[in-house]
């Protein structure tokens, strides 16, 4: 299994540009998450999904959108990039909720800079 | 709202000494507490976890303790080695409006001095 994969690894955007961060998992996990990690800081939840067709907002959803059309994929969309969105973005997944299924597995991250 | 406080933010220890990182959570319904290690430029990786029906769990040099009454849990690393140098994050599960997710602490940067 490849686990959780993310593309691209690095990206530089100009203010106002749009882009989609891709995330895929091949572990048949139901839950998927998007976090952002600002330099020297912890992880903040942007959006999450408990299954295909179901998404919900986390702590910091403004400026982002998500979709979950399949179990495997959970793309994150930035519509109008702003310097405040400069961060490292991590996607994560877990099987579900309950004993032995809570653990979240993280992708390698996407480092985004908005200039 | 729910939050997780983590202390200290930085910790330096001599190689071979022990390191302790502490977290406090606010949601009394939290029942799962993972610890992640993040090396520079890498993804967070789970190193140990504990559930609310257990008071302590150990895996070689790493142990986690949980005090549900005080809503505290701690990570203990014994016989520290240079490769233990990393940022460590605690997290607590929360359930909001029927959905389940984590709240992460702000991280502890551990430096093991050779």
């Amino acid at each position: 299994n490849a686990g959780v994969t993310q593309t691209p690894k690095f990206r530089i955007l100009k203010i106002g540009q749009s882009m989609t961060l891709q995330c895929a998992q091949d572990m048949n996990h139901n839950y998927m998450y998007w976090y952002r990690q600002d330099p020297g800081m912890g992880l903040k939840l942007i959006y999450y999904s408990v299954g295909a067709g179901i998404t919900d907002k986390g702590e910091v959803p403004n400026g982002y959108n998500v979709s979950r059309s399949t179990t495997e994929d959970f793309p994150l969309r930035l519509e109008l990039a702003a310097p405040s969105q400069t961060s490292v973005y991590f996607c994560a997944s877990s099987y579900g909720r309950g004993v032995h299924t809570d653990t979240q597995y993280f992708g390698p991250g996407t480092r985004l800079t908005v200039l | 709202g729910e939050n997780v406080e983590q202390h200290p933010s930085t910790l330096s220890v001599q190689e071979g000494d022990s390191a302790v990182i502490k977290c406090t959570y606010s949601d009394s319904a939290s029942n799962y507490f993972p610890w992640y290690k993040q090396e520079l430029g890498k993804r967070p990786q789970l190193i140990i976890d504990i559930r609310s029906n257990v008071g302590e769990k150990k895996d070689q040099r790493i142990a986690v303790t949980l005090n549900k009454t005080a809503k505290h849990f701690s990570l203990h690393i014994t016989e520290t080695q240079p490769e233990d140098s990393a940022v460590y994050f605690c997290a607590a599960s929360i359930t909001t409006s029927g959905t389940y997710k984590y709240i992460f602490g702000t991280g502890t940067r551990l430096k093991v001095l050779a």
Side-chain angles (χ1 to χ4, degrees):
Chain A
N1 287 352
V4 181
T5 57
Q6 291 182 239
T7 56
K9 291 185 179 179
F10 305 95
R11 184 72 185 267
I12 298 174
L13 285 181
K14 294 182 179 178
I15 294 172
Q17 286 186 318
S18 301
M19 78 164 294
T20 298
L21 283 67
Q22 301 292 344
C23 174
Q25 53 88 13
D26 61 358
M27 298 177 281
N28 201 29
H29 283 175
N30 295 314
Y31 283 49
M32 296 187 75
Y33 312 82
W34 274 107
Y35 294 92
R36 60 176 288 173
Q37 185 177 34
D38 298 334
M41 303 295 286
L43 296 154
K44 296 290 187 183
L45 183 64
I46 306 171
Y47 269 96
Y48 64 100
S49 168
V50 300
I54 306 170
T55 63
D56 208 347
K57 296 177 180 179
E59 301 171 74
V60 290
N62 292 344
Y64 307 95
N65 275 300
V66 294
S67 59
R68 184 98 181 268
S69 57
T70 66
T71 301
E72 295 78 19
D73 301 298
F74 190 41
L76 177 72
R77 178 81 178 163
L78 282 72
E79 289 296 346
L80 292 170
S84 60
Q85 294 178 304
T86 294
S87 191
V88 179
Y89 292 82
F90 287 101
C91 179
S93 71
S94 66
Y95 185 76
R97 175 186 174 182
V99 177
H100 305 306
T101 62
D102 288 317
T103 302
Q104 292 186 18
Y105 298 90
F106 284 81
T110 294
R111 186 176 297 275
L112 176 67
T113 302
V114 182
L115 301 174
Chain B
E2 299 89 355
N3 73 306
V4 174
E5 294 186 2
Q6 183 171 348
H7 299 281
S9 57
T10 60
L11 178 60
S12 293
V13 299
Q14 289 295 132
E15 184 178 357
D17 288 350
S18 296
V20 180
I21 303 169
K22 299 180 179 181
C23 288
T24 304
Y25 61 97
S26 60
D27 186 354
S28 56
S30 294
N31 60 6
Y32 177 66
F33 307 92
W35 285 89
Y36 285 84
K37 176 183 180 182
Q38 186 178 30
E39 297 177 350
L40 189 63
K42 301 286 183 64
R43 73 188 81 186
Q45 295 204 307
L46 180 76
I47 55 171
I48 196 167
D49 57 12
I50 192 167
R51 298 193 180 274
S52 57
N53 59 347
V54 175
E56 183 174 0
K57 182 177 179 181
K58 189 173 182 180
D59 182 4
Q60 299 183 340
R61 296 187 296 109
I62 296 173
V64 57
T65 58
L66 172 64
N67 182 330
K68 283 170 47 181
T69 303
K71 290 191 260 185
H72 289 169
F73 58 113
S74 299
L75 177 71
H76 305 254
I77 305 174
T78 58
E79 301 172 22
T80 53
Q81 301 168 3
E83 52 264 39
D84 294 329
S85 296
V87 178
Y88 292 81
F89 292 97
C90 64
S93 64
I94 60 167
T95 302
T96 305
S97 302
T99 57
Y100 178 89
K101 47 189 181 284
Y102 294 175
I103 296 291
F104 281 86
T106 50
T108 296
R109 183 173 300 278
L110 174 64
K111 295 182 183 178
V112 179
L113 307 171

